Amino acid sequence: MDIEFTVQENRLWMLQCRTGKRTGKGAVKIAVDMVNEGLIDRRSAIKMVEPRHLDQLLHPQFESPSSYGDKVIATGLPASPGAAVGQIVFTADDAEAWHAQGKSVILYSP
């Protein structure tokens, strides 16, 4: 659960509660762990994993940088659940030109 609360005059006030968001990988892990712990059966676990979670798992993803010994040089918010590799370009014209030359490109748009 994602819970927002405040304390006012020594009283706890619940402001908002909603189902917590999780990634596809997280949803599957939680469902499998709950089955392994005997909390739910397999049928219930399958119902917990939404189609969008499975869609996320089908996109290419990078392995953890620590598995290569590399240092993380930047972090950001994903625009999609997958991974991409290519030269960053800043205009659609450059992206088309570089793609025509057989190069992999990523169009960056601030």
Side-chain angles (χ1 to χ4, degrees), residues 25 59-72 81-85:
K25 183 177 179 181
H59 291 276
Q61 299 186 14
F62 293 116
E63 292 183 35
S64 169
S66 62
S67 64
Y68 297 109
D70 296 339
K71 293 180 183 177
V72 175
V85 176

Side-chain angles (χ1 to χ4, degrees), residues 16-101:
Q16 191 171 174
C17 299
R18 58 189 166 270
T19 302
K21 296 177 183 171
R22 57 184 161 246
T23 63
K25 183 177 179 181
V28 170
K29 181 177 181 345
I30 290 168
V32 169
D33 287 349
M34 290 179 77
V35 169
N36 290 340
E37 293 173 20
L39 299 172
I40 59 174
D41 61 17
R42 288 182 179 196
R43 181 168 292 208
S44 298
I46 291 170
K47 291 178 183 177
M48 289 176 57
V49 180
E50 300 174 15
R52 67 183 174 86
H53 293 141
L54 297 177
D55 181 56
Q56 288 178 10
L57 295 174
L58 297 175
H59 291 276
Q61 299 186 14
F62 293 116
E63 292 183 35
S64 169
S66 62
S67 64
Y68 297 109
D70 296 339
K71 293 180 183 177
V72 175
I73 60 169
T75 61
L77 297 175
S80 72
V85 176
Q87 175 68 41
I88 293 178
V89 295
F90 300 99
T91 67
D93 291 338
D94 286 345
E96 288 180 2
W98 285 45
H99 178 72
Q101 297 173 24

